[in-house]
Amino acid sequence: MNGLMMQQPLLISSQLEFAARFHQSVEIVTRTVEGPIVRTTWSGLAKRVRQLANALSASGIKRGDVVATLAWNTQRHLELYFAVSGLGAVLHTINPRLPPDQLTYIANDAGDVMLCFDTTFLPLAKHLASVQTPIKHFVALTDDAHLPKDFQGLRSYESLLVGQPETFTWPSFDENTASSLCYTSGTVGLPKGVLYSHRSTVLHSYAICMVDALAISGQDVTLPVVPMFHVNAWGVPYAAAMVGSKLVLPGPALDGVSLLDLITTEHVTSALGVPTVWLGLLAAAKTKQVKMSMLQKVTIGGSACPPSMITAFQEEHGARVLHAWGMTELSPLGTANVLLPKHASLSKEERLQVQLKQGRPIFGIDLRLVDDDGKVVPHDGKTSGHLEAKGGWVASAYFKSDDHSHHDGEWFATGDIATIDGDGYMQITDRSKDVIKSGGEWISSIDVEHAAMMHPAIAQAAAVGVPHPRWVERPLLVVVKHKDKEVSKEDLRAFLETKLVKWWLPDAIEFVDALPIGPTGKVLKRQLREKFKDYALP
Amino acid sequence: MNGLMMQQPLLISSQLEFAARFHQSVEIVTRTVEGPIVRTTWSGLAKRVRQLANALSASGIKRGDVVATLAWNTQRHLELYFAVSGLGAVLHTINPRLPPDQLTYIANDAGDVMLCFDTTFLPLAKHLASVQTPIKHFVALTDDAHLPKDFQGLRSYESLLVGQPETFTWPSFDENTASSLCYTSGTVGLPKGVLYSHRSTVLHSYAICMVDALAISGQDVTLPVVPMFHVNAWGVPYAAAMVGSKLVLPGPALDGVSLLDLITTEHVTSALGVPTVWLGLLAAAKTKQVKMSMLQKVTIGGSACPPSMITAFQEEHGARVLHAWGMTELSPLGTANVLLPKHASLSKEERLQVQLKQGRPIFGIDLRLVDDDGKVVPHDGKTSGHLEAKGGWVASAYFKSDDHSHHDGEWFATGDIATIDGDGYMQITDRSKDVIKSGGEWISSIDVEHAAMMHPAIAQAAAVGVPHPRWVERPLLVVVKHKDKEVSKEDLRAFLETKLVKWWLPDAIEFVDALPIGPTGKVLKRQLREKFKDYALP
C-alpha cells in the first residue's frame, strides 16, 4: 500500500524557482573577473537563468548534453549551475588547475559539447580549442566589450542572453537524471568522473541546511570561497537558493586582503573554504588589525584543519569553526563537527581535541570501518579501519569507468583509515596506502609525523613502512631539519618516546635535505617507500 | 542519462538505525503513564524497537497492516512509531479526544487490526472492543503488573517484548510505501485520513531539521509537547532520531507545573506545542517565580500565537519564539517564521508584527494565493486569496475517500485565506468559509473580531457576512459584553472606526448573551450565519 502524498521529483529547477518566488529580494553579490562588484537578487538571477536556458536551447543544448565550465565563483557561473541542470543537461565543472593533457582527457571523457570559461582561463580554452574534443561552442563569461579577440567562433555570454525571454517552462523529468559532473583529481592515474543526479543534489542540499551539518541559512550572508569548480562548491549554491541565503561570490580574488574586504563590506556571517585560504585571510586580518566580528561561522574542509586555525577564528574573531569532511564521491558532505551538550563541561583544550576530529555523519550517509579482510570493526574511538561510506549522495560508480575497485556493490571505500567513537565522531588517521602495518596492527603514519613535527628542530617529517622479517612492516621516519637547528637521532628518538606508544616508535630515523613533493603540495610517500624498500632496519 | 549515485530508498527504519549507530548514548526521557520518569538511549530504544518488530511479526502483523495507537508521548509510543512503520505496516495514531462514534468510524475506515493504548484510554479501548471493528489484537502500553483486569484477551506491551531478540533485519521496500495514517478532526463531516509515506516522512524530517525551519538538532534537548497522536508530533520523533536529539516525552502530564518541572530538571532547550499548553506553562513559571533560562527556543503552532505569549517567552525567559504553521494534510510543516538579517534594524514592536505572521514556506512546499475564480493573485503582503499548497509532503487525496474537492490535481486547497509578502511571509487572515465578500472585495472576519476585542467592554466577538442587495455581503458584528461592563452600539462603532478601514466597518452590531461554541472551542460561525441569514441591515 502506497501513501497518498503528492509525487514531485526532486529537481534543481525547483530550487531556483522557489528562490525566485519566496526569496526574491535577497542579494547575490559578485566580485567579477572584470573587476567591479556587481549585485543582483534571487529574482533577478532567476530571470537571467531563464534567459540562459532559452539561449542554451536555441544553441541546440538538449537533455543529456554536457556543458563544461572553467570558471570562478561568480553570478554567471551560478546562472549556469541552474540553467544547464534545469534543462536536464549536465554541468561539467572543470578544475582549471589540472594540467593541459588531463583537461584534454576529461573534455573527451565527459563528452563536453560547450565550454563556458572565464577570460582568466583563455589559455586553457585555447588549448582545448586546439586539440580534438567534442566541444562545438566556446563561450567567454563576459560581455562583448571584454571579449578576447583572437579566438575564432568565440561568443560572449552576455551576447547569448540578449533578447531572450525572461520566462522559461522548466521540463519535469525523473529525479535520477544526471545533473552535474565533477572529476576527482587523483594523484595516481587519470581523473575519474562523478556524475551527480538531481535527487542526490537536492537530498544533499537538505542535508547541508540542517543545523547539525553546514547549517546553510537565510539568516546568514554566505561566502563560499570553496570553488564552484570543486564538488559544486560543497553544494552551497543549491542550498542557498533553497533557504534564500544572501550569497557573496569572491570571483578570482582569493587572496586574504580581497576576502577580508568582502567579508567586512558585505557583512558576511558564514564563510566556507579550505585551510589554505583561511591562512591568507587570518594573516590579512592580523596585518590590518581587523576583528571580523560579523563572522559567526567558518566551515573548514578539504583537508585537516590545524588547531591554531580553530583557535584563531574562535578566540581572535569570535567565529565558531565547523570542521567538515567530504569527498568528490560524496557530493561532498560526509561528516560535520558540531559540539554536543555533553561537551559544554569540557576544558577549552579538550573541546579543541573534539573539534579536530572530522565530525559525525549526517543522516543520509552511513559510515563503517573494516579491517583488511572486510570484517567490521567497532566504533570505540580507538580501533582504526578502512573507512567506507554509503548513502543517497554517494557515487555508485565512476563515469564511463570499468574501475569498480572502490565499490563492493553496497559500500564505497574512501581510501582513508579512520576511527569512529561512541558519539559518532569520525577521525581520519591515515590514507589506506600510507598506513604502516606492523604485526597485524596498524600504525598511523600521520600520528608519527605529527609527533616528530613537535620537535623544534624538525621542519618536515614523513613516516613510511619498510619491510621487516618478523613484523611485516616497521616505521621508518624520514625528516628534514630546520636549516639553523640541530638534533641527533638519539635525541629525536628520546623525544618521540614521550609522545608515542612504544610499538609506534620508528625503528630508524633518516635525515634528508628535502622530501619529494607532488603537484598538489603533498609528500609523495610512494616515492619514499620505493626509495627505502630495501632499507636495512637495525 | 541518469546520475551514477547510490539508490537508497528513504525509509523510517534507516532513521532509527542511524540513531542506534551514531547517537547511541543520547537519552530519551519519559514521564510515564504509571508515574515515574524512565530513561533509555537511542541505542536502548533501538533494541526494544527491534524486539517489538519481532513481536509484531510473531503476532501476524505484516506489510500494509494498520496498527492503531491511543497514546501519549512516551517511549513506548516512540517504539511503535519505528517498529510499525519499519515493518512496512501503517501506524494509525488516533486522537483520543474524538467522540466514541468517530472512533468507531475511523477504526473501521482505517482497517485497524491492532490497537495499542495507554491505560488512561481504557474506556475508549473498551468502547472499540464492544463495537464492530477489524481490530483483532488489544495491547495495553504497560507491564503485566499494571494490566487492566477486566478486558478479555488484553495483553501488556511489555509481555509482548519478553524473550524477543534485540536484532531484526528491516525489510527494504519502495519509499512511497505508506508509513502512517492520521485523521483530520474536521468540524464539519466525518474525519478524513491522511496517509503518509516513508518518502514524505523522511523528506519532511530533513526539512524540519533545517536552520530556517524547526531547526531540530542534536545540540538540543527537545520536548515535543505536541501530541504524538496529532500529525506525528509535527515529525519531531523522526527528526530527533536523524540528528540524535535528546528527547523528553511528557506522557499524560501536560499541565504547566509538570512541564515546568521537566523543562528545568532535564534542561530542555527546545520545546514545541500549541498555544494552550504554553499558557499553562507560563502561568506555572510565574507562580513559582522560575525563569526558564535553559529554554532557548519555543515553537508555537496549531493555532495563531497571541503576541503576549511571544513577548512573555522572549522577554521573561530569553527564549526565541518560532511561530510555525501547518496542517495534517501537510505532514504538517508548511511555514516557519524566522527573522531575516533585514529585520535586525526594526523596532521591537515591528519585529513582533513580523513574528506574528505564520512564516515563510520551507523548500519542498510551494504556496500560492488564488481568487474565487482560481486566478493567481500577487504576493504583495496586501492582496488576500485562497491559500493553496503543493509539495512532496502534501496529501494528494484522502484515504478511501471520493472527496477530491480540496485537490485540483496539482494544488491542495488549504481552506485558509491568506496574504504572502515579498519576503515570502504568509499570514492567515481568515478561513475561506468565514471570509466576508463585499462588492468583490474580501473582509477578514478575524481582523474585525480582533478590533472589537480590543474594546475593554467586549468579551467575545464574531463577524459574519449577511446578505446585502448591493454589496452581496456586508459584515454583521455579534458581540458578548463582559458581565460587569457596558458599551453602546454607537460607542463601539466609534471605537472600531479608529481601528478599521471604513469599508470593513460592520454595517450592524448585535449584542448577545453567548456565542455558539463547538466541541473544539471554536465559535460556530455557520450557526451564526444561519441565524442571521435574513437579518435586515440598516
Side-chain angles (χ1 to χ4, degrees), chain A residues 467-503:
Chain A
H468 187 281
R470 178 167 173 201
W471 302 111
V472 186
E473 274 187 357
R474 286 297 300 160
L476 165 70
L477 178 64
V478 187
V479 289
V480 179
K481 283 182 280 195
H482 281 295
K483 284 211 175 68
D484 52 349
K485 299 244 172 78
E486 202 45 69
V487 64
S488 69
K489 287 185 184 178
E490 292 66 31
D491 287 353
L492 181 54
R493 189 179 162 81
F495 176 82
L496 291 175
E497 279 170 4
T498 68
K499 304 285 175 197
L500 295 169
V501 292
K502 195 160 185 295
W503 63 277

mmCIF file of all heavy atoms in Angstrom, chain A residues 467-503:
data_model
loop_
_atom_site.group_PDB
_atom_site.id
_atom_site.type_symbol
_atom_site.label_atom_id
_atom_site.label_comp_id
_atom_site.label_asym_id
_atom_site.label_seq_id
_atom_site.Cartn_x
_atom_site.Cartn_y
_atom_site.Cartn_z
ATOM 1 N N PRO A 467 59.880 -2.993 4.844
ATOM 2 C CA PRO A 467 59.724 -4.425 5.133
ATOM 3 C C PRO A 467 60.509 -4.855 6.371
ATOM 4 O O PRO A 467 61.624 -4.370 6.617
ATOM 5 C CB PRO A 467 60.285 -5.095 3.870
ATOM 6 C CG PRO A 467 60.121 -4.071 2.795
ATOM 7 C CD PRO A 467 60.342 -2.751 3.471
ATOM 8 N N HIS A 468 59.910 -5.753 7.149
ATOM 9 C CA HIS A 468 60.546 -6.268 8.352
ATOM 10 C C HIS A 468 60.269 -7.769 8.408
ATOM 11 O O HIS A 468 59.113 -8.185 8.214
ATOM 12 C CB HIS A 468 59.959 -5.572 9.588
ATOM 13 C CG HIS A 468 60.673 -5.918 10.863
ATOM 14 N ND1 HIS A 468 60.446 -7.102 11.537
ATOM 15 C CD2 HIS A 468 61.601 -5.243 11.590
ATOM 16 C CE1 HIS A 468 61.201 -7.127 12.627
ATOM 17 N NE2 HIS A 468 61.913 -5.996 12.681
ATOM 18 N N PRO A 469 61.322 -8.585 8.649
ATOM 19 C CA PRO A 469 61.140 -10.042 8.576
ATOM 20 C C PRO A 469 60.085 -10.577 9.557
ATOM 21 O O PRO A 469 59.322 -11.468 9.226
ATOM 22 C CB PRO A 469 62.534 -10.586 8.927
ATOM 23 C CG PRO A 469 63.276 -9.448 9.557
ATOM 24 C CD PRO A 469 62.689 -8.192 8.993
ATOM 25 N N ARG A 470 60.010 -9.982 10.748
ATOM 26 C CA ARG A 470 59.081 -10.533 11.739
ATOM 27 C C ARG A 470 57.739 -9.805 11.729
ATOM 28 O O ARG A 470 56.681 -10.417 11.779
ATOM 29 C CB ARG A 470 59.712 -10.419 13.128
ATOM 30 C CG ARG A 470 58.776 -10.939 14.211
ATOM 31 C CD ARG A 470 59.489 -11.119 15.540
ATOM 32 N NE ARG A 470 58.499 -11.450 16.568
ATOM 33 C CZ ARG A 470 58.688 -11.287 17.850
ATOM 34 N NH1 ARG A 470 59.838 -10.791 18.288
ATOM 35 N NH2 ARG A 470 57.746 -11.613 18.705
ATOM 36 N N TRP A 471 57.770 -8.452 11.667
ATOM 37 C CA TRP A 471 56.549 -7.647 11.835
ATOM 38 C C TRP A 471 55.910 -7.242 10.505
ATOM 39 O O TRP A 471 54.990 -6.440 10.493
ATOM 40 C CB TRP A 471 56.873 -6.377 12.644
ATOM 41 C CG TRP A 471 57.454 -6.667 14.012
ATOM 42 C CD1 TRP A 471 58.724 -6.424 14.418
ATOM 43 C CD2 TRP A 471 56.763 -7.251 15.123
ATOM 44 N NE1 TRP A 471 58.896 -6.827 15.724
ATOM 45 C CE2 TRP A 471 57.696 -7.341 16.186
ATOM 46 C CE3 TRP A 471 55.455 -7.723 15.333
ATOM 47 C CZ2 TRP A 471 57.371 -7.884 17.434
ATOM 48 C CZ3 TRP A 471 55.127 -8.251 16.569
ATOM 49 C CH2 TRP A 471 56.086 -8.334 17.602
ATOM 50 N N VAL A 472 56.411 -7.766 9.411
ATOM 51 C CA VAL A 472 55.956 -7.424 8.058
ATOM 52 C C VAL A 472 56.411 -6.013 7.671
ATOM 53 O O VAL A 472 57.127 -5.835 6.699
ATOM 54 C CB VAL A 472 54.424 -7.557 7.878
ATOM 55 C CG1 VAL A 472 54.045 -7.318 6.406
ATOM 56 C CG2 VAL A 472 53.924 -8.916 8.347
ATOM 57 N N GLU A 473 55.987 -5.008 8.473
ATOM 58 C CA GLU A 473 56.454 -3.644 8.244
ATOM 59 C C GLU A 473 56.783 -2.998 9.582
ATOM 60 O O GLU A 473 56.151 -3.308 10.599
ATOM 61 C CB GLU A 473 55.348 -2.788 7.583
ATOM 62 C CG GLU A 473 55.274 -2.865 6.085
ATOM 63 C CD GLU A 473 54.282 -1.871 5.505
ATOM 64 O OE1 GLU A 473 53.599 -1.145 6.273
ATOM 65 O OE2 GLU A 473 54.192 -1.809 4.284
ATOM 66 N N ARG A 474 57.756 -2.107 9.561
ATOM 67 C CA ARG A 474 58.022 -1.260 10.724
ATOM 68 C C ARG A 474 58.228 0.160 10.230
ATOM 69 O O ARG A 474 58.622 0.382 9.082
ATOM 70 C CB ARG A 474 59.270 -1.752 11.488
ATOM 71 C CG ARG A 474 59.048 -3.034 12.306
ATOM 72 C CD ARG A 474 58.020 -2.874 13.423
ATOM 73 N NE ARG A 474 58.443 -1.845 14.377
ATOM 74 C CZ ARG A 474 57.607 -1.225 15.207
ATOM 75 N NH1 ARG A 474 56.313 -1.511 15.175
ATOM 76 N NH2 ARG A 474 58.042 -0.321 16.048
ATOM 77 N N PRO A 475 57.920 1.146 11.085
ATOM 78 C CA PRO A 475 58.044 2.540 10.626
ATOM 79 C C PRO A 475 59.488 3.024 10.504
ATOM 80 O O PRO A 475 60.307 2.780 11.395
ATOM 81 C CB PRO A 475 57.312 3.343 11.704
ATOM 82 C CG PRO A 475 57.066 2.428 12.856
ATOM 83 C CD PRO A 475 57.321 1.030 12.419
ATOM 84 N N LEU A 476 59.729 3.709 9.393
ATOM 85 C CA LEU A 476 60.957 4.474 9.204
ATOM 86 C C LEU A 476 60.539 5.938 9.174
ATOM 87 O O LEU A 476 59.597 6.297 8.462
ATOM 88 C CB LEU A 476 61.618 4.087 7.875
ATOM 89 C CG LEU A 476 62.714 5.040 7.357
ATOM 90 C CD1 LEU A 476 63.967 4.955 8.236
ATOM 91 C CD2 LEU A 476 63.067 4.713 5.904
ATOM 92 N N LEU A 477 61.212 6.755 9.962
ATOM 93 C CA LEU A 477 60.879 8.180 9.996
ATOM 94 C C LEU A 477 61.908 8.951 9.169
ATOM 95 O O LEU A 477 63.116 8.868 9.448
ATOM 96 C CB LEU A 477 60.873 8.688 11.446
ATOM 97 C CG LEU A 477 60.590 10.179 11.636
ATOM 98 C CD1 LEU A 477 59.181 10.540 11.173
ATOM 99 C CD2 LEU A 477 60.789 10.573 13.105
ATOM 100 N N VAL A 478 61.446 9.661 8.161
ATOM 101 C CA VAL A 478 62.325 10.453 7.300
ATOM 102 C C VAL A 478 62.056 11.919 7.607
ATOM 103 O O VAL A 478 60.906 12.367 7.504
ATOM 104 C CB VAL A 478 62.045 10.159 5.809
ATOM 105 C CG1 VAL A 478 63.064 10.850 4.918
ATOM 106 C CG2 VAL A 478 62.048 8.649 5.561
ATOM 107 N N VAL A 479 63.096 12.640 8.032
ATOM 108 C CA VAL A 479 62.860 14.016 8.477
ATOM 109 C C VAL A 479 63.808 15.019 7.827
ATOM 110 O O VAL A 479 64.917 14.682 7.434
ATOM 111 C CB VAL A 479 62.974 14.162 10.022
ATOM 112 C CG1 VAL A 479 61.793 13.506 10.703
ATOM 113 C CG2 VAL A 479 64.284 13.599 10.531
ATOM 114 N N VAL A 480 63.311 16.237 7.732
ATOM 115 C CA VAL A 480 64.119 17.376 7.271
ATOM 116 C C VAL A 480 64.260 18.306 8.469
ATOM 117 O O VAL A 480 63.258 18.665 9.093
ATOM 118 C CB VAL A 480 63.414 18.117 6.112
ATOM 119 C CG1 VAL A 480 64.244 19.306 5.639
ATOM 120 C CG2 VAL A 480 63.105 17.159 4.971
ATOM 121 N N LYS A 481 65.512 18.686 8.788
ATOM 122 C CA LYS A 481 65.726 19.603 9.911
ATOM 123 C C LYS A 481 65.592 21.055 9.436
ATOM 124 O O LYS A 481 65.853 21.362 8.268
ATOM 125 C CB LYS A 481 67.137 19.390 10.494
ATOM 126 C CG LYS A 481 67.237 18.146 11.359
ATOM 127 C CD LYS A 481 68.615 17.974 11.954
ATOM 128 C CE LYS A 481 69.551 17.364 10.912
ATOM 129 N NZ LYS A 481 70.804 16.830 11.498
ATOM 130 N N HIS A 482 65.185 21.907 10.346
ATOM 131 C CA HIS A 482 65.251 23.343 10.048
ATOM 132 C C HIS A 482 66.705 23.706 9.761
ATOM 133 O O HIS A 482 67.626 23.151 10.381
ATOM 134 C CB HIS A 482 64.753 24.158 11.261
ATOM 135 C CG HIS A 482 63.261 24.209 11.365
ATOM 136 N ND1 HIS A 482 62.454 24.819 10.442
ATOM 137 C CD2 HIS A 482 62.426 23.692 12.314
ATOM 138 C CE1 HIS A 482 61.190 24.700 10.809
ATOM 139 N NE2 HIS A 482 61.140 24.009 11.941
ATOM 140 N N LYS A 483 66.909 24.633 8.836
ATOM 141 C CA LYS A 483 68.265 24.968 8.383
ATOM 142 C C LYS A 483 69.212 25.296 9.535
ATOM 143 O O LYS A 483 70.345 24.871 9.569
ATOM 144 C CB LYS A 483 68.213 26.181 7.428
ATOM 145 C CG LYS A 483 67.715 25.807 6.039
ATOM 146 C CD LYS A 483 68.344 26.695 4.965
ATOM 147 C CE LYS A 483 67.934 26.236 3.574
ATOM 148 N NZ LYS A 483 66.491 26.461 3.320
ATOM 149 N N ASP A 484 68.706 26.056 10.501
ATOM 150 C CA ASP A 484 69.584 26.560 11.557
ATOM 151 C C ASP A 484 69.471 25.736 12.843
ATOM 152 O O ASP A 484 69.963 26.152 13.880
ATOM 153 C CB ASP A 484 69.224 28.021 11.851
ATOM 154 C CG ASP A 484 67.743 28.186 12.107
ATOM 155 O OD1 ASP A 484 66.981 27.206 11.851
ATOM 156 O OD2 ASP A 484 67.328 29.268 12.553
ATOM 157 N N LYS A 485 68.819 24.564 12.769
ATOM 158 C CA LYS A 485 68.614 23.794 14.004
ATOM 159 C C LYS A 485 69.261 22.421 13.874
ATOM 160 O O LYS A 485 69.460 21.893 12.781
ATOM 161 C CB LYS A 485 67.116 23.640 14.272
ATOM 162 C CG LYS A 485 66.385 24.987 14.463
ATOM 163 C CD LYS A 485 65.813 25.133 15.857
ATOM 164 C CE LYS A 485 65.259 26.525 16.100
ATOM 165 N NZ LYS A 485 63.935 26.706 15.477
ATOM 166 N N GLU A 486 69.549 21.832 15.013
ATOM 167 C CA GLU A 486 70.239 20.545 15.025
ATOM 168 C C GLU A 486 69.590 19.624 16.050
ATOM 169 O O GLU A 486 69.093 20.061 17.090
ATOM 170 C CB GLU A 486 71.730 20.777 15.384
ATOM 171 C CG GLU A 486 72.650 19.671 14.929
ATOM 172 C CD GLU A 486 72.399 19.195 13.495
ATOM 173 O OE1 GLU A 486 72.662 19.955 12.528
ATOM 174 O OE2 GLU A 486 71.898 18.064 13.337
ATOM 175 N N VAL A 487 69.559 18.343 15.737
ATOM 176 C CA VAL A 487 69.114 17.339 16.705
ATOM 177 C C VAL A 487 69.734 16.012 16.270
ATOM 178 O O VAL A 487 69.908 15.762 15.072
ATOM 179 C CB VAL A 487 67.571 17.247 16.781
ATOM 180 C CG1 VAL A 487 66.970 16.772 15.459
ATOM 181 C CG2 VAL A 487 67.138 16.312 17.909
ATOM 182 N N SER A 488 70.116 15.183 17.238
ATOM 183 C CA SER A 488 70.671 13.872 16.899
ATOM 184 C C SER A 488 69.541 12.855 16.794
ATOM 185 O O SER A 488 68.443 13.077 17.305
ATOM 186 C CB SER A 488 71.652 13.426 17.987
ATOM 187 O OG SER A 488 70.919 13.146 19.174
ATOM 188 N N LYS A 489 69.835 11.747 16.120
ATOM 189 C CA LYS A 489 68.845 10.687 16.020
ATOM 190 C C LYS A 489 68.424 10.213 17.412
ATOM 191 O O LYS A 489 67.245 9.954 17.680
ATOM 192 C CB LYS A 489 69.405 9.491 15.230
ATOM 193 C CG LYS A 489 69.517 9.769 13.732
ATOM 194 C CD LYS A 489 69.963 8.519 12.969
ATOM 195 C CE LYS A 489 70.167 8.857 11.498
ATOM 196 N NZ LYS A 489 70.638 7.705 10.704
ATOM 197 N N GLU A 490 69.412 10.114 18.302
ATOM 198 C CA GLU A 490 69.143 9.601 19.646
ATOM 199 C C GLU A 490 68.210 10.560 20.396
ATOM 200 O O GLU A 490 67.260 10.135 21.054
ATOM 201 C CB GLU A 490 70.463 9.426 20.441
ATOM 202 C CG GLU A 490 71.362 8.317 19.921
ATOM 203 C CD GLU A 490 71.924 8.599 18.523
ATOM 204 O OE1 GLU A 490 72.143 9.786 18.171
ATOM 205 O OE2 GLU A 490 72.117 7.641 17.748
ATOM 206 N N ASP A 491 68.514 11.851 20.291
ATOM 207 C CA ASP A 491 67.687 12.830 21.000
ATOM 208 C C ASP A 491 66.271 12.876 20.427
ATOM 209 O O ASP A 491 65.294 13.006 21.160
ATOM 210 C CB ASP A 491 68.320 14.230 20.930
ATOM 211 C CG ASP A 491 69.533 14.321 21.832
ATOM 212 O OD1 ASP A 491 69.770 13.350 22.593
ATOM 213 O OD2 ASP A 491 70.240 15.346 21.777
ATOM 214 N N LEU A 492 66.178 12.779 19.110
ATOM 215 C CA LEU A 492 64.849 12.800 18.487
ATOM 216 C C LEU A 492 64.060 11.573 18.930
ATOM 217 O O LEU A 492 62.866 11.658 19.259
ATOM 218 C CB LEU A 492 64.984 12.848 16.958
ATOM 219 C CG LEU A 492 63.658 12.895 16.178
ATOM 220 C CD1 LEU A 492 62.757 14.039 16.651
ATOM 221 C CD2 LEU A 492 63.917 13.024 14.680
ATOM 222 N N ARG A 493 64.743 10.429 18.981
ATOM 223 C CA ARG A 493 64.073 9.203 19.406
ATOM 224 C C ARG A 493 63.604 9.335 20.867
ATOM 225 O O ARG A 493 62.483 8.943 21.201
ATOM 226 C CB ARG A 493 65.038 8.012 19.266
ATOM 227 C CG ARG A 493 64.323 6.709 19.484
ATOM 228 C CD ARG A 493 65.199 5.478 19.329
ATOM 229 N NE ARG A 493 64.509 4.390 19.983
ATOM 230 C CZ ARG A 493 63.515 3.698 19.424
ATOM 231 N NH1 ARG A 493 63.125 3.962 18.208
ATOM 232 N NH2 ARG A 493 62.918 2.745 20.118
ATOM 233 N N ALA A 494 64.444 9.926 21.687
ATOM 234 C CA ALA A 494 64.077 10.124 23.103
ATOM 235 C C ALA A 494 62.849 11.046 23.194
ATOM 236 O O ALA A 494 61.936 10.814 23.991
ATOM 237 C CB ALA A 494 65.257 10.720 23.876
ATOM 238 N N PHE A 495 62.833 12.069 22.337
ATOM 239 C CA PHE A 495 61.681 12.985 22.291
ATOM 240 C C PHE A 495 60.402 12.239 21.895
ATOM 241 O O PHE A 495 59.344 12.381 22.512
ATOM 242 C CB PHE A 495 61.981 14.118 21.295
ATOM 243 C CG PHE A 495 60.843 15.077 21.090
ATOM 244 C CD1 PHE A 495 60.625 16.117 21.994
ATOM 245 C CD2 PHE A 495 59.994 14.949 20.001
ATOM 246 C CE1 PHE A 495 59.573 17.001 21.804
ATOM 247 C CE2 PHE A 495 58.940 15.822 19.807
ATOM 248 C CZ PHE A 495 58.727 16.858 20.713
ATOM 249 N N LEU A 496 60.519 11.386 20.878
ATOM 250 C CA LEU A 496 59.353 10.649 20.393
ATOM 251 C C LEU A 496 58.822 9.682 21.452
ATOM 252 O O LEU A 496 57.613 9.425 21.515
ATOM 253 C CB LEU A 496 59.702 9.867 19.115
ATOM 254 C CG LEU A 496 59.976 10.717 17.869
ATOM 255 C CD1 LEU A 496 60.427 9.828 16.718
ATOM 256 C CD2 LEU A 496 58.739 11.527 17.468
ATOM 257 N N GLU A 497 59.740 9.168 22.284
ATOM 258 C CA GLU A 497 59.309 8.241 23.334
ATOM 259 C C GLU A 497 58.324 8.896 24.301
ATOM 260 O O GLU A 497 57.517 8.217 24.935
ATOM 261 C CB GLU A 497 60.531 7.702 24.113
ATOM 262 C CG GLU A 497 61.203 6.569 23.365
ATOM 263 C CD GLU A 497 62.547 6.168 23.984
ATOM 264 O OE1 GLU A 497 62.921 6.727 25.049
ATOM 265 O OE2 GLU A 497 63.219 5.301 23.399
ATOM 266 N N THR A 498 58.386 10.219 24.387
ATOM 267 C CA THR A 498 57.463 10.933 25.284
ATOM 268 C C THR A 498 56.121 11.195 24.599
ATOM 269 O O THR A 498 55.173 11.646 25.230
ATOM 270 C CB THR A 498 58.050 12.292 25.727
ATOM 271 O OG1 THR A 498 58.107 13.146 24.573
ATOM 272 C CG2 THR A 498 59.444 12.128 26.307
ATOM 273 N N LYS A 499 56.039 10.962 23.295
ATOM 274 C CA LYS A 499 54.837 11.322 22.532
ATOM 275 C C LYS A 499 54.063 10.111 22.013
ATOM 276 O O LYS A 499 52.859 10.224 21.731
ATOM 277 C CB LYS A 499 55.221 12.172 21.293
ATOM 278 C CG LYS A 499 56.024 13.421 21.603
ATOM 279 C CD LYS A 499 55.145 14.504 22.195
ATOM 280 C CE LYS A 499 55.966 15.715 22.622
ATOM 281 N NZ LYS A 499 55.205 16.577 23.544
ATOM 282 N N LEU A 500 54.748 8.999 21.818
ATOM 283 C CA LEU A 500 54.112 7.858 21.141
ATOM 284 C C LEU A 500 54.171 6.601 22.012
ATOM 285 O O LEU A 500 55.094 6.442 22.822
ATOM 286 C CB LEU A 500 54.840 7.563 19.816
ATOM 287 C CG LEU A 500 54.766 8.639 18.725
ATOM 288 C CD1 LEU A 500 55.748 8.311 17.602
ATOM 289 C CD2 LEU A 500 53.345 8.762 18.165
ATOM 290 N N VAL A 501 53.204 5.690 21.820
ATOM 291 C CA VAL A 501 53.290 4.388 22.485
ATOM 292 C C VAL A 501 54.494 3.655 21.905
ATOM 293 O O VAL A 501 54.898 3.890 20.763
ATOM 294 C CB VAL A 501 51.996 3.552 22.301
ATOM 295 C CG1 VAL A 501 50.841 4.189 23.049
ATOM 296 C CG2 VAL A 501 51.653 3.360 20.837
ATOM 297 N N LYS A 502 55.027 2.746 22.705
ATOM 298 C CA LYS A 502 56.323 2.151 22.394
ATOM 299 C C LYS A 502 56.357 1.489 21.011
ATOM 300 O O LYS A 502 57.286 1.710 20.234
ATOM 301 C CB LYS A 502 56.677 1.119 23.491
ATOM 302 C CG LYS A 502 58.127 0.683 23.499
ATOM 303 C CD LYS A 502 58.513 0.093 24.835
ATOM 304 C CE LYS A 502 59.987 -0.244 24.893
ATOM 305 N NZ LYS A 502 60.395 -1.298 23.955
ATOM 306 N N TRP A 503 55.327 0.710 20.709
ATOM 307 C CA TRP A 503 55.414 -0.054 19.450
ATOM 308 C C TRP A 503 55.128 0.792 18.211
ATOM 309 O O TRP A 503 55.251 0.321 17.098
ATOM 310 C CB TRP A 503 54.554 -1.316 19.509
ATOM 311 C CG TRP A 503 53.073 -1.082 19.658
ATOM 312 C CD1 TRP A 503 52.388 -0.842 20.808
ATOM 313 C CD2 TRP A 503 52.109 -1.065 18.606
ATOM 314 N NE1 TRP A 503 51.066 -0.669 20.556
ATOM 315 C CE2 TRP A 503 50.857 -0.817 19.215
ATOM 316 C CE3 TRP A 503 52.174 -1.235 17.214
ATOM 317 C CZ2 TRP A 503 49.676 -0.714 18.469
ATOM 318 C CZ3 TRP A 503 51.002 -1.142 16.480
ATOM 319 C CH2 TRP A 503 49.770 -0.882 17.110
#
